[in-house]
Amino acid sequence: MILLKDIQVQKSSRVLLDVPHLRLLGGKVTVILGANGAGKSTLLRVLAGAIKPDQGEVLLFGQRLTEWNTKKLAQSRAMLSQHYSMPFPMSVRELVAMGRFPYLRSRRDETMVDEAMAEMEVSRFAGRSIQTLSGGEQQRAHMARVLLQLKSEDEDAPRLLLLDEPVSSLDIVHQRTLLNKARDAARSGYTVVIVLHDINLAGDYADQFLLMKKGKIIAQTHSLDPELLGEVFDTPMLRIADTNHDKHYFFAGAAR
Amino acid sequence: MKRQGIAILGLVLGVLCIAYSLRLGAIPLTWAQTFDGVWGKADEQTNIIIHELRLPRALMAALSGGVLAASGVIAQAILRNPMAAPSLIGISAGAGFAAALAIVLPIPFLMLLPSIWMLPFAAFLGSALSAGLVFSLARGSGRTDTGMILLAGLAINSLAGAGTGLLTFVADDPQLRNISFWNLGSVAGAEWSQIGVLLLFSLPLIVSVLNSGATLNAWMLGEEEAQLLGVSVERQKRLQMIAIALAVGASVSFTGVIGFIGLIVPHLLRFLIGPDHRSLLLQSFIWGAVLLLVSDLIARVIVVPLELPIGIVTALIGAPYFIFLLRQQYQRSRVYDPA
């Protein structure tokens, strides 16, 4: 379980994040929705321990985030960030292998790297420089690295997987491949938190939603409706029903 | 397998270069004399030439070359900038200024030191002071900003350069010659005690060369990402920079400024074996040693009986080759990401 208490993050006296209380449970996929600048990435980075909040504390699996040992923490939580830059032409294999950094070297490492690359379908780029790949291929390679970071002998240990707009550069097929992996991870007990912009894609994968606006969580809910989404994005939202499949879709814009 | 081949080639070349360094010089020896001399079985003069002059000189070249090249790899990784080199963080310029100061002005307490230690001591103080200044300028709110290290290094470099310029303005002719020779580098006149001191100051760097491969790889993703992967970023940054400052500071103090090794060797090896630091670090150390040994050989034989300053040789080989490498890389479309 992950618990946030009285969290505030400020930057030059502007409040970027203000979360009085948040609880996230293992085994669930939580999707964060919100407009640009709503504090989604900031929340993710606070959960990861990448930025220290100015106020409040994060309890990760019962222990304060600040008290975790750096290596142990890296074995228990991993984050896929929005942007990466790479000053040197690392190969995809070398990149994915970085996921083993928090662990002692072992004979299984090479096989684990191979498996991770196969999972995200980047095996055929293994020897190529990451700089020569397309944005989507890079994103998949990084996802393989992040998943590998959480693989350890102790499969029952709690894990936190944070994905910041993980499908922003992916084609529609790979979007689902990646999100399926995230859901599988949740089914095996991981706590999974994903920032997404595609509300309808989110609807297919989320066990619950966090709706954010101006640094605050305005709702933690299991289902979406046009009024709520309209408030989150400050724009009228439409709900279209697909009666054949008993699903509904949301679109921005007023009915004409 | 290619990597191992290149490492072995480097070691073989290194041994070969050392052998030639022992043989060639103002008094050329035969291979038989050289070999006997190494074991102290030749005539007295040959023994002395090899043990007291050529062997320490060859080792100084090898060790300095290795230190400069490995520090280049680490500086480029930590600062995440392919153009970074130890000289960029103010170490060489600070040492140069202090050396010039010691040459021009009689500094009382330095005069107490034996002459072979006077310049190195001053130079090391200068390098330590400027490196310390760069780091303290780049520190703020509990972290060291790598961008600020580069900028502060640039500022300290120009400041020290201006200081050296001012000193050359007031120096007399022999002093001027000393200053300019110091700034072009030389491994001539190395002594065993200096090798010992350099080895001691290089220990942290050597430990880092053997241990930091995976850490520096993780660093390629950026500091925040490295932290997420389990790197203690601030601690590592401090340790690695101290290791570089100590080793390069000591090396520069004994040899003067030797340019280009710290920049070109890491790039050459990335071109040959790729950017994986798990092998890049050690290979750079080996090939830095080889390159400086070769440069020293060239410096001694090309204008016999005179010697060219070694810094001129490294720049003369280094700069054109560097341009060639960049062109190759460009054509392979492995252009560095400017971010």
Side-chain angles (χ1 to χ4, degrees):
Chain A
M1 187 188 72
I2 295 143
L3 199 62
L4 270 69
K5 285 190 269 188
D6 303 318
I7 292 288
Q8 275 217 3
V9 176
Q10 298 171 354
K11 195 165 192 178
S12 40
S13 78
R14 218 171 71 88
V15 178
L16 296 186
L17 190 68
D18 180 12
V19 178
H21 178 88
L22 176 66
R23 207 166 63 136
L24 298 169
L25 294 177
K28 298 265 187 270
V29 176
T30 302
V31 170
I32 306 179
L33 294 174
N36 296 146
K40 306 183 295 293
S41 296
T42 308
L43 175 59
L44 231 51
R45 289 167 73 207
V46 166
L47 284 168
I51 45 177
K52 290 193 177 62
D54 297 286
Q55 186 187 309
E57 63 179 17
V58 181
L59 286 173
L60 180 65
F61 312 131
Q63 194 181 356
R64 276 196 199 93
L65 204 47
T66 45
E67 288 165 3
W68 278 78
N69 162 289
T70 316
K71 283 246 163 77
K72 269 269 172 300
L73 180 61
Q75 296 174 6
S76 307
R77 72 90 185 81
M79 178 161 110
L80 181 69
S81 302
Q82 261 183 74
H83 302 290
Y84 290 99
S85 74
M86 179 64 81
F88 297 110
M90 285 276 178
S91 75
V92 170
R93 169 168 264 284
E94 286 159 354
L95 176 86
V96 175
M98 288 176 196
R100 295 319 291 164
F101 181 82
Y103 301 90
L104 291 175
R105 222 177 290 173
S106 108
R107 227 172 305 143
R108 294 242 309 115
D109 283 352
E110 294 298 305
T111 354
M112 291 175 86
V113 172
D114 285 333
E115 284 166 9
M117 288 194 298
E119 262 189 84
M120 287 319 297
E121 298 170 27
V122 291
S123 303
R124 68 195 166 91
F125 314 124
R128 265 175 62 188
S129 156
I130 188 85
Q131 293 173 348
T132 66
L133 299 188
S134 77
E137 290 161 351
Q138 291 188 23
Q139 210 161 20
R140 276 149 55 198
H142 279 287
M143 181 67 175
R145 169 180 66 78
V146 165
L147 287 175
L148 187 58
Q149 189 188 329
L150 295 178
K151 293 243 160 65
S152 76
E153 319 267 284
D154 182 9
E155 290 184 353
D156 294 331
R159 304 285 197 330
L160 172 62
L161 176 64
L162 304 161
L163 307 173
D164 196 353
E165 296 189 33
V167 299
S168 57
S169 308
L170 298 185
D171 61 62
I172 47 173
V173 177
H174 283 109
Q175 290 186 357
R176 294 201 174 255
T177 317
L178 187 144
L179 291 174
N180 285 335
K181 294 286 174 226
R183 182 161 58 191
D184 293 347
R187 295 299 168 258
S188 72
Y190 287 28
T191 309
V192 179
V193 186
I194 315 177
V195 173
L196 284 177
H197 277 302
D198 185 333
I199 301 168
N200 298 311
L201 194 61
D204 282 351
Y205 288 93
D207 295 310
Q208 66 161 344
F209 299 94
L210 288 184
L211 302 176
M212 293 191 69
K213 190 178 182 179
K214 292 178 184 161
K216 291 193 164 72
I217 296 172
I218 59 171
Q220 184 171 6
T221 167
H222 294 280
S223 64
L224 298 172
D225 60 65
E227 290 71 35
L228 196 53
L229 285 171
E231 193 197 331
V232 171
F233 292 105
D234 278 328
T235 190
M237 297 292 293
L238 285 177
R239 174 164 47 193
I240 312 287
D242 172 359
T243 43
N244 291 336
H245 299 96
D246 191 27
K247 278 172 76 169
H248 48 253
Y249 296 96
F250 295 95
F251 295 95
R256 278 198 279 184
Chain B
M1 290 317 102
K2 188 186 169 194
R3 282 179 184 169
Q4 275 152 11
I6 287 172
I8 291 169
L9 181 66
L11 288 173
V12 170
L13 273 179
V15 171
L16 216 62
C17 287
I18 291 180
Y20 269 105
S21 300
L22 297 182
R23 197 189 147 191
L24 300 176
I27 301 170
L29 304 172
T30 63
W31 280 120
Q33 279 175 307
T34 312
F35 197 73
D36 286 342
V38 171
W39 305 112
K41 287 185 204 146
D43 58 276
E44 198 182 336
Q45 190 201 5
T46 310
N47 284 345
I48 289 178
I49 288 178
I50 289 196
H51 279 266
E52 299 305 319
L53 296 174
R54 293 188 186 168
L55 196 54
R57 176 179 189 154
L59 291 181
M60 179 60 90
L63 197 53
S64 303
V67 160
L68 290 172
S71 301
V73 173
I74 295 176
Q76 285 160 15
I78 297 281
L79 303 176
R80 300 188 73 242
N81 186 327
M83 288 298 128
S87 56
L88 223 69
I89 46 181
I91 299 176
S92 313
F97 172 66
L101 201 64
I103 290 169
V104 174
L105 300 175
I107 300 168
F109 86 103
L110 279 178
M111 304 296 267
L112 298 173
L113 291 168
S115 65
I116 68 151
W117 291 104
M118 199 182 87
L119 269 187
F121 188 79
F124 186 78
L125 275 186
S127 70
L129 218 66
S130 54
L133 199 59
V134 168
F135 294 140
S136 56
L137 281 173
R139 259 185 92 74
S141 62
R143 58 184 298 273
T144 311
D145 187 285
T146 45
M148 272 300 286
I149 292 183
L150 281 174
L151 290 176
L154 215 64
I156 297 296
N157 266 347
S158 349
L159 197 64
T164 311
L166 201 65
L167 285 167
T168 57
F169 188 70
V170 299
D172 60 27
D173 274 354
Q175 289 173 342
L176 207 56
R177 216 174 145 68
N178 267 340
I179 295 176
S180 68
F181 264 103
W182 200 88
N183 275 303
L184 293 169
S186 167
V187 287
E191 302 215 0
W192 282 108
S193 50
Q194 296 179 335
I195 308 277
V197 171
L198 178 53
L199 202 58
L200 190 71
F201 278 86
S202 305
L203 276 183
L205 182 80
I206 292 170
V207 171
S208 159
V209 163
L210 297 175
N211 276 325
S212 309
T215 305
L216 295 185
N217 276 356
W219 213 287
M220 292 299 92
L221 294 170
E223 284 182 25
E224 186 173 312
E225 296 299 324
Q227 182 92 43
L228 290 173
L229 267 172
V231 179
S232 310
V233 169
E234 284 306 316
R235 189 170 150 264
Q236 277 294 329
K237 206 170 359 186
R238 216 171 318 130
L239 290 179
Q240 301 279 6
M241 287 294 155
I242 289 173
I244 291 181
L246 285 179
V248 175
S251 142
V252 167
S253 311
F254 292 130
T255 67
V257 181
I258 298 175
F260 258 103
I261 297 281
L263 187 64
I264 190 178
V265 175
H267 282 271
L268 171 67
L269 283 160
R270 268 189 214 102
F271 182 69
L272 290 174
I273 63 170
D276 187 339
H277 291 88
R278 287 170 297 183
S279 38
L280 186 62
L281 279 167
L282 189 57
Q283 296 248 24
S284 290
F285 198 96
I286 295 172
W287 280 93
V290 171
L291 211 69
L292 206 56
L293 279 165
V294 170
S295 302
D296 186 42
L297 276 175
I298 293 174
R300 300 150 54 160
V301 299
I302 205 162
V303 287
V304 171
L306 297 177
E307 277 188 14
L308 223 52
I310 196 168
I312 293 181
V313 180
T314 55
L316 272 179
I317 321 176
Y321 193 66
F322 192 60
I323 293 168
F324 166 76
L325 264 187
L326 289 180
R327 290 297 306 171
Q328 288 280 311
Q329 240 148 11
Y330 187 69
Q331 272 147 20
R332 271 214 224 163
S333 74
R334 292 169 83 181
V335 189
Y336 291 131
D337 179 359

